[in-house]
Amino acid sequence: MLETERHRIILSAVQEKPVVTVADLCTLTGVSEATVRRDIATLHMTKKLRRVRGGAEAIAPTQFAGINARPFAVNQTVNVAEKRAIAQAAVGLCEDGDAIIINGGTTTFQMVHPLTTKRLQVFTNSFPIAEHLLKQSKNTVLLPAGAIYREQNIILSPFDADGSSHFYARRMFMGCRALGPLGLMEGDPLLVQAEQKLIGQADELVVLADSSKFRQRSSLLLCPLSRIHTVITDDGIEDRAAQMLQAAEIRLIVAPAAASDRKKRAET
């Protein structure tokens, strides 16, 4: 990740929480503590944030609290070929007339293009997914009530009465921060609360996770492996991760990224 991108993520993060720790920023940017500390020092010197013990804070924090998640615009640039292939395989599970839930995220967002040929009932908390499907498809689109979190492009509500309890789905499609032996992991309590409500409204939970997610970890458990019906990933998945899913009796679908996409990514 370029320095300018890291600085943008760090400045975004400190606007959303009173104090952001070095560990939080390492998770968001994917770089070492030493690199994050140098970035904080640079931004402190240019008076864009205030360096504090163990992290950083905004010089003029906003009153609206954010969530601990990497911005949508940043995640869109990561593992694009893999996400596209995974999303295509996910849409292959859908049949016209199905009622589905699509949780917000950059991997699930890739579902919008193949979904333009379908006629489904789609409940989503993703503002860009809803907008694309409304403009480019004949799918019926439903949204929950709540606030739009601009950085992540999702709609979240701390209240139970957000409309999601009235929608029943055959499948829910979602990404994750990490996927390990304990189950699906996320990085923010509000995300966990919202996603657990949605999971409860679907018969089957389908997780879209590129192979890098099996090597990551986070602090909050969203649901155990036993709740997951299917995992769709790319052909970079390691044997150990595949064996973990097999032991949990989870259906595994491997979607190889197109060779042309891999070549393009390698050249950039």
Side-chain angles (χ1 to χ4, degrees):
M1 186 181 295
L2 298 176
E3 181 181 65
T4 54
E5 293 176 335
R6 296 198 308 272
H7 286 185
R8 182 163 63 87
I9 292 170
I10 291 170
L11 291 172
S12 173
V14 299
Q15 286 294 331
E16 295 181 343
K17 297 174 68 176
V19 176
V20 182
T21 67
V22 171
D24 288 338
L25 295 174
C26 288
T27 300
L28 289 172
T29 60
V31 298
S32 67
E33 285 192 11
T35 299
V36 166
R37 291 184 189 279
R38 285 196 298 270
D39 288 339
I40 290 174
T42 299
L43 294 170
H44 176 82
M45 292 295 293
T46 54
K47 298 183 179 180
K48 293 181 179 179
L49 54 69
R50 185 178 294 109
R51 181 172 54 189
V52 298
R53 183 177 179 83
E57 65 181 7
I59 293 175
T62 60
Q63 298 301 309
F64 184 70
I67 57 175
N68 179 20
R70 194 155 59 178
F72 185 89
V74 174
N75 273 341
Q76 265 193 314
T77 65
V78 179
N79 298 332
V80 178
E82 288 82 358
K83 291 177 179 179
R84 188 179 295 121
I86 291 167
Q88 183 75 50
V91 174
L93 299 177
C94 301
E95 299 177 1
D96 284 347
D98 281 353
I100 64 171
I101 296 171
I102 306 179
N103 193 55
T106 54
T107 307
T108 52
F109 177 74
Q110 290 294 333
M111 293 176 67
V112 297
H113 306 295
L115 276 176
T116 57
T117 64
K118 301 285 187 179
R119 290 192 176 215
L120 311 173
Q121 296 182 64
V122 181
F123 187 99
T124 181
N125 61 1
S126 166
F127 191 73
I129 289 176
E131 182 179 38
H132 189 95
L133 292 180
L134 283 171
K135 291 180 178 179
Q136 306 296 335
S137 80
K138 294 184 178 180
N139 293 285
T140 300
V141 180
L142 298 92
L143 293 166
I148 298 175
Y149 287 74
R150 290 181 177 86
E151 289 288 330
Q152 293 77 27
N153 276 327
I154 56 176
I155 303 167
L156 298 175
S157 171
F159 307 110
D160 290 333
D162 62 0
S164 60
S165 62
H166 300 289
F167 189 82
Y168 170 75
R170 181 179 179 184
R171 293 187 179 94
M172 174 176 173
F173 298 90
M174 68 176 298
C176 62
R177 174 74 69 87
L179 180 55
L182 292 179
L184 281 183
M185 287 167 275
E186 267 298 351
D188 188 273
L190 188 56
L191 280 174
V192 170
Q193 180 186 25
E195 290 165 358
Q196 284 179 338
K197 283 190 293 186
L198 292 176
I199 289 172
Q201 298 303 119
D203 286 337
E204 298 178 4
L205 177 60
V206 182
V207 177
L208 283 58
D210 68 76
S211 54
S212 70
K213 299 298 178 70
F214 294 96
R215 298 187 292 272
Q216 299 177 18
R217 292 293 179 268
S218 191
S219 58
L220 299 174
L221 185 64
L222 173 60
C223 72
L225 290 178
S226 59
R227 181 62 181 86
I228 302 171
H229 182 273
T230 302
V231 169
I232 307 176
T233 189
D234 60 82
D235 51 358
I237 184 173
E238 298 175 354
D239 290 343
R240 180 172 58 180
Q243 291 165 4
M244 174 189 72
L245 299 177
Q246 183 180 18
E249 299 183 344
I250 295 172
R251 180 187 182 190
L252 173 62
I253 298 175
V254 176
S260 59
D261 284 338
R262 288 187 185 279
K263 183 178 179 182
K264 288 178 183 177
R265 190 184 64 180
E267 292 172 350
T268 58

